[in-house]
Amino acid sequence: MAIIGVSALILVAMVVAVTVGVTVSRHKGKSGGEQTSTSTKAIQSICQPTDYKKTCEDNLSKVASNVTDPKELVKAGFQVAIDQLREVIKNSTTLKELAKDPRANQALQNCKELLEYAIDDLGDSFDKLGPFDFTKLDAYVEDLKVWLSAAMTYEQTCLDGFENTTGDAGEKMRQFLKTSQELTSNGLAMVSEVSTLFKALNIKTGRRLLQAAATATDEKRLDLATATPLTLKPDVVVSKKGDGKYKTINEALKDIPKNNEVKVFVIYVKEGVYDEHVFFNKHMTNVMLIGDGPTKTVVTGRKNYADGTQTYQTATVAVVGDYFIAKDVGFENTAGAIGHQAVALRVQSDLSIFYNCNMDGYQDTLYTQTHRQFYRDCTISGTIDFIFGDAAAVFQNCKMIVRKPLEPGLHGDSPR
């Protein structure tokens, strides 16, 4: 499963492209051999800060050897990705035959989903970068750190799913991901050093502080502190009593425009307990979920690890689409301490906001999985690891309530 590393390789190719582009411009008219040497030196230089230098140099040389045109470097990186995708399809078939254990089979399915998210992240990073604007380099670096860190998280979460499973599927997946993990780690190291690299080339860059988050909030034109269902004029209303368009939240999801960028799509969920598992997929962007209060509008579920569900899939509500907002809503998992890992809310949404919300559970209540997240005036309850994940998350004026776990001897060890 070298696909993640290959995607990271595309990122590396971009960084090398800039390096080569700048360096070659100082050597126009020189021979092809000297240009090849320039490309090789650029690769060696950019691989210097990585933990896996040989992996870095060997793979970059395949796409960057004798190439000095930045666009051609990137195209070569995409070609490698295409080739590896074909190989992944073959490997996935082999792993499916090995995943006889039910949990291993779940882990394999999760891996496919997780690795697709990683590919999306790195693909989006390439698309959003566009032509290099050196005055915005700092902004690029911060974004890329977030996206690459997310890719690394998805890789590791994939492997974690094979813990306590039988058969060889887990070990095979670990072997497939070895090079990918090394390349992704290298990509993150390169991005961390890229500012230093450009400073060495005397290229001035701009600065920013939470610029992306501020811009996203401004574009929404929402005052969350005063926003109500009445002032927001919701696009769809959900009510268990039947005085809305739908009686369940899942029914309302079909009305969300795919890859919405025009305006915030507002779903008003009236007071009630909604016993359903809700998944806002990656295409459900710029969505706002607003209720009548975190103890009045509650989404509840009870999936848990003890009953055989992987932690990643136990979430009552999972949010993947970017720019998600929730206000005055409660999210809970009622499996209890005996259920071990039982997630109430899992969030991957980049630049997401949760305002005056409750997340109630026991173990693993709030899974802040990846990207940038902001929580204001929220209450989170649980026992063990009840806030966990790898997101860049900010909690402002939030309350964390530690609940009493099971008595000693009843809980036992529960794997992550």
Side-chain angles (χ1 to χ4, degrees):
M1 301 287 288
I3 189 165
I4 309 301
V6 173
S7 298
L9 187 59
I10 295 171
L11 166 66
V12 172
M14 288 190 294
V15 179
V16 172
V18 177
T19 307
V20 173
V22 171
T23 307
V24 170
S25 67
R26 299 176 178 175
H27 296 275
K28 286 183 178 179
K30 292 194 174 183
S31 68
E34 288 177 323
Q35 287 185 340
T36 300
S37 176
T38 299
S39 178
T40 301
K41 288 179 179 178
I43 293 172
Q44 292 173 344
S45 175
I46 207 163
C47 288
Q48 185 58 37
T50 66
D51 291 329
Y52 307 99
K53 293 183 179 61
K54 188 176 188 303
T55 302
C56 177
E57 293 179 5
D58 289 351
N59 283 276
L60 277 182
S61 294
K62 294 177 183 178
V63 297
S65 180
N66 298 319
V67 177
T68 57
D69 186 320
K71 291 183 180 179
E72 291 302 317
L73 281 169
V74 177
K75 286 170 62 178
F78 273 121
Q79 186 58 57
V80 174
I82 292 170
D83 294 341
Q84 290 296 329
L85 271 169
R86 297 192 181 104
E87 194 65 29
V88 167
I89 295 172
K90 298 177 184 178
N91 291 335
S92 296
T93 302
T94 302
L95 284 179
K96 187 175 182 180
E97 295 172 356
L98 292 173
K100 305 297 184 182
D101 182 309
R103 286 197 187 274
N105 191 271
Q106 275 190 61
L108 178 58
Q109 297 304 315
N110 290 344
C111 277
K112 292 179 180 178
E113 181 179 326
L114 287 159
L115 298 182
E116 285 179 2
Y117 289 144
I119 295 165
D120 289 341
D121 264 348
L122 293 163
D124 286 347
S125 70
F126 173 76
D127 293 337
K128 291 179 182 178
L129 279 176
F132 276 95
D133 181 346
F134 297 122
T135 65
K136 297 180 180 178
L137 181 63
D138 288 347
Y140 292 162
V141 169
E142 291 306 311
D143 286 343
L144 289 171
K145 283 182 180 178
V146 169
W147 292 322
L148 277 170
S149 295
M152 293 180 69
T153 294
Y154 295 137
E155 291 171 358
Q156 189 56 52
T157 303
C158 161
L159 295 179
D160 288 346
F162 288 97
E163 291 183 8
N164 300 296
T165 62
T166 60
D168 298 328
E171 182 55 35
K172 289 291 184 182
M173 178 65 78
R174 192 173 302 278
Q175 292 173 13
F176 289 149
L177 279 177
K178 180 178 182 296
T179 300
S180 301
Q181 288 182 298
E182 291 180 357
L183 285 168
T184 308
S185 173
N186 286 346
L188 185 58
M190 291 174 200
V191 168
S192 298
E193 292 291 325
V194 73
S195 293
T196 303
L197 172 65
F198 279 94
K199 286 177 182 177
L201 293 172
N202 295 317
I203 297 176
K204 296 181 179 180
T205 66
R207 296 178 61 85
R208 71 159 184 176
L209 178 63
L210 299 178
Q211 180 180 342
T215 300
T217 304
D218 288 344
E219 288 175 350
K220 288 180 173 58
R221 297 291 189 270
L222 291 176
D223 182 355
L224 289 180
T226 61
T228 67
L230 182 62
T231 61
L232 288 173
K233 297 180 181 179
D235 296 281
V236 62
V237 177
V238 178
S239 175
K240 290 182 69 68
K241 296 179 180 179
D243 56 337
K245 184 176 182 180
Y246 301 113
K247 290 186 177 181
T248 69
I249 300 171
N250 275 301
E251 288 178 293
L253 299 187
K254 62 186 180 183
D255 285 7
I256 300 173
K258 186 176 181 180
N259 300 321
N260 172 39
E261 295 181 356
V262 179
K263 64 179 287 290
V264 177
F265 186 89
V266 180
I267 302 174
Y268 171 34
V269 184
K270 291 190 173 184
E271 181 176 354
V273 178
Y274 296 81
D275 190 352
E276 53 183 313
H277 289 86
V278 184
F279 178 61
F280 293 91
N281 68 40
K282 65 184 180 182
H283 300 297
M284 298 176 183
T285 55
N286 282 300
V287 173
M288 180 176 186
L289 191 70
I290 187 167
D292 286 323
T295 61
K296 294 181 178 180
T297 298
V298 179
V299 191
T300 187
R302 60 192 63 85
K303 287 185 180 179
N304 61 86
Y305 187 88
D307 284 348
T309 303
Q310 292 273 359
T311 304
Y312 174 72
Q313 295 291 0
T314 62
T316 300
V317 175
V319 183
V320 180
D322 293 341
Y323 309 112
F324 181 86
I325 302 173
K327 182 183 179 183
D328 296 337
V329 179
F331 307 90
E332 67 176 16
N333 190 310
T334 61
I338 200 168
H340 298 320
Q341 294 93 326
V343 178
L345 175 65
R346 172 168 61 84
V347 184
Q348 297 169 230
S349 175
D350 197 14
L351 298 172
S352 53
I353 301 171
F354 293 83
Y355 192 97
N356 192 39
C357 291
N358 286 4
M359 299 85 178
D360 294 313
Y362 284 81
Q363 183 173 351
D364 292 3
T365 304
L366 174 58
Y367 190 176
T368 58
Q369 189 173 16
T370 52
H371 300 131
R372 291 159 285 196
Q373 306 173 19
F374 180 66
Y375 298 81
R376 171 65 190 261
D377 296 342
C378 292
T379 299
I380 306 103
S381 69
T383 54
I384 300 170
D385 298 337
F386 63 93
I387 301 175
F388 74 110
D390 295 297
V394 174
F395 294 85
Q396 188 177 74
N397 200 38
C398 292
K399 182 185 297 183
M400 285 73 170
I401 299 176
V402 181
R403 307 178 75 163
K404 185 178 180 180
L406 288 177
E407 295 296 329
L410 295 179
H411 188 280
D413 294 328
S414 54
R416 289 230 46 89

